[in-house]
Structures are given as structure tokens and as C-alpha cells.
Amino acid sequence: ISAFDPDVWSMPKQLSSLQYANGIDWHKDKIVFHNIAGPSSLTVLYENGSKISFSSPGAWPSFSPDGKKIVVSTSDCFSAPCSGGIWIMNDNGSDQQPIFSTNAGGIRGTRWSPRGDKILYVLETLKQNPAPKEYPWIYNLFTINTDGTGNSPITDDGISWQADWSPDAEKIVHAKLSTKNYPNSTSSEIWISFRSNASRKKIADIGLHSFIKWSKQNEIAYIDEFDDGLYTINENGGNR
């Protein structure tokens, strides 16, 4: 895990080493990430170099706006039907509480709203008997209240994943998979959904990406796996 100043694009400073992380989030002076090497656990890494690790029921951690809570999610698609859940805990791993569970699919990509009232997540399911060259996964976005009520779909196209909130929580940026050339190649489009009127607009065509984040400086960052590059764009798709 490395960090750098995006205003000057300085050389990154390595903060920690790990085998594989399934989700990462940053809040002021601390970073939380999920390490799937061995038993499922979260690590909170502080700016001063100290850290704490603790067992976690899920992955894809995200801090609450005040940094005092962490939300995680679970996805079990190794057996039919897929199942998933959402848990909330204190930032030291204590008081782990489930708020939602479903057999409609696995849950990943949890992101806490900047307003603190809702959680954004991806529901993933496996297609039944897909054709040999058909992409086997279905992804859609949902939001849910932090008490587990008000579960609401954001997309129903089956190809929307990797999402994040705008700083004012009025918009959601997300990627849509383009699977027409699967399994030879998979590309993505970046879209913005508006909560006020449920409209959407495409802002960019990119390669296969693995991460997307909307910063407080109103820039959208993403990783393009075709060249392992980290890019930023504005909400109109410009200034890449």
C-alpha cells in the first residue's frame, strides 16, 4: 500500500506490504484494508505508522463519515444460490453487528455515504447455464439505510459495478462492463447516476478497471488494468 500527494504526483511512499487486499478506504489520518491471506481480517493503518488488525466477517471496508465506524460486506457464490450480508462495526473491530442479509446474491463494494445515512453496494449473482462465451456474472448497484431498511436498486442492467459516492452524496459514479468480446477482452465505461431524478450519463470509455473513487476534491480516480495506470478525470470525463 502506497500513498502520494495527487496535487504534485510525487513518488509514492510505501505504507505497508501485503499479499492481497480486498477493499481499501481512507479517512483523514488512517487507512483500512481487508487482507484475505489467511483468516479474513481488517487492518487499520495510521499515518504515524501504528496499526491494529482484527478478524472481520466481511471485506470491502468503508469508513463512516466521522471515521468511527466501518461497514463491510460478504459474498458467498461458491454454492447456489449466492448469498451476502452487510455488517457494521467500530473502527477497532468491536461491536460487529449484521444489518442486512440476502439470498438474492453476494454483496461487495460497500461504500458509506458522505451524509452517513446510506450504504452503496454491488449485488453479484451468477447466470444460470451461461453460453460458452457469455459473461457469467450479473452486477447491479443498490443503496440501503444504515439500519438495514430501505433497500433500493440503483441499476438493473446487470453490468454495473465498482461504484462510489460524490462528495455531496447527490451522485454515484460507477463502471459498466462491456462484455461483447468476452472472454478475449473486457472493457468498461464510466457512468454517473443522479439521485435527484434517477438519470444517468456516460462520461468515459476505459479499459478493464479494478477500482474507482470520487475524491473530496471532486476528481474521479480509477485504475486501468490494461496498463496498471492510475488516472483521474472530472465528472464530465475531461482532464484525464
Side-chain angles (χ1 to χ4, degrees):
I1 297 177
S2 300
F4 55 87
D5 183 348
D7 292 327
V8 296
W9 293 102
S10 59
M11 288 296 293
K13 174 185 177 182
Q14 183 172 321
L15 303 178
S16 180
S17 298
L18 67 159
Q19 183 174 351
Y20 187 77
N22 222 350
I24 188 168
D25 196 24
W26 192 329
H27 183 274
K28 294 183 178 178
D29 64 341
K30 57 187 176 182
I31 294 169
V32 62
F33 59 88
H34 176 257
N35 192 345
I36 65 171
S40 176
S41 65
L42 296 184
T43 295
V44 177
L45 180 64
Y46 293 89
E47 192 174 42
N48 61 11
S50 63
K51 63 182 179 180
I52 58 172
S53 297
F54 44 86
S55 62
S56 169
W60 300 284
S62 178
F63 283 116
S64 60
D66 62 7
K68 296 180 180 180
K69 300 280 187 180
I70 296 172
V71 62
V72 297
S73 53
T74 63
S75 179
D76 182 5
C77 288
F78 293 104
S79 59
C82 289
S83 61
I86 298 176
W87 294 65
I88 289 177
M89 66 189 77
N90 293 328
D91 69 338
N92 62 2
S94 64
D95 194 25
Q96 298 182 359
Q97 298 291 333
I99 65 164
F100 180 70
S101 63
T102 180
N103 288 323
I107 295 177
R108 59 184 290 166
T110 31
R111 286 293 174 189
W112 209 312
S113 163
R115 293 179 182 171
D117 60 336
K118 292 186 180 293
I119 293 164
L120 171 67
Y121 71 88
V122 180
L123 185 74
E124 60 179 3
T125 57
L126 277 169
K127 294 179 181 176
Q128 298 295 318
N129 302 313
K133 292 188 177 181
E134 182 182 9
Y135 191 72
W137 291 96
I138 300 171
Y139 300 109
N140 281 304
L141 303 179
F142 286 74
T143 61
I144 192 169
N145 297 329
T146 54
D147 63 0
T149 63
N151 190 44
S152 302
I154 301 298
T155 65
D156 59 3
D157 52 34
I159 55 174
S160 292
W161 73 323
Q162 295 286 355
D164 196 21
W165 299 93
S166 63
D168 61 5
E170 287 296 325
K171 299 180 283 289
I172 293 170
V173 63
H174 60 92
K176 282 188 179 184
L177 289 170
S178 175
T179 60
K180 60 184 178 181
N181 294 321
Y182 178 83
N184 296 319
S185 66
T186 305
S187 58
S188 303
E189 303 167 346
I190 296 182
W191 287 68
I192 291 180
S193 295
F194 298 84
R195 296 182 65 189
S196 58
N197 57 15
S199 65
R200 302 184 185 98
K201 70 174 183 178
K202 185 176 80 168
I203 64 169
D205 291 290
I206 61 173
L208 177 62
H209 87 290
S210 61
F211 177 83
I212 195 164
K213 179 72 175 176
W214 201 325
S215 76
K216 292 181 179 179
Q217 290 73 37
N218 213 30
E219 288 186 320
I220 297 166
Y222 66 91
I223 294 174
D224 191 327
E225 290 190 352
F226 281 173
D227 61 5
D228 289 328
L230 175 62
Y231 297 92
T232 62
I233 55 174
N234 60 35
E235 63 179 281
N236 294 314
N239 293 338
R240 173 170 154 156

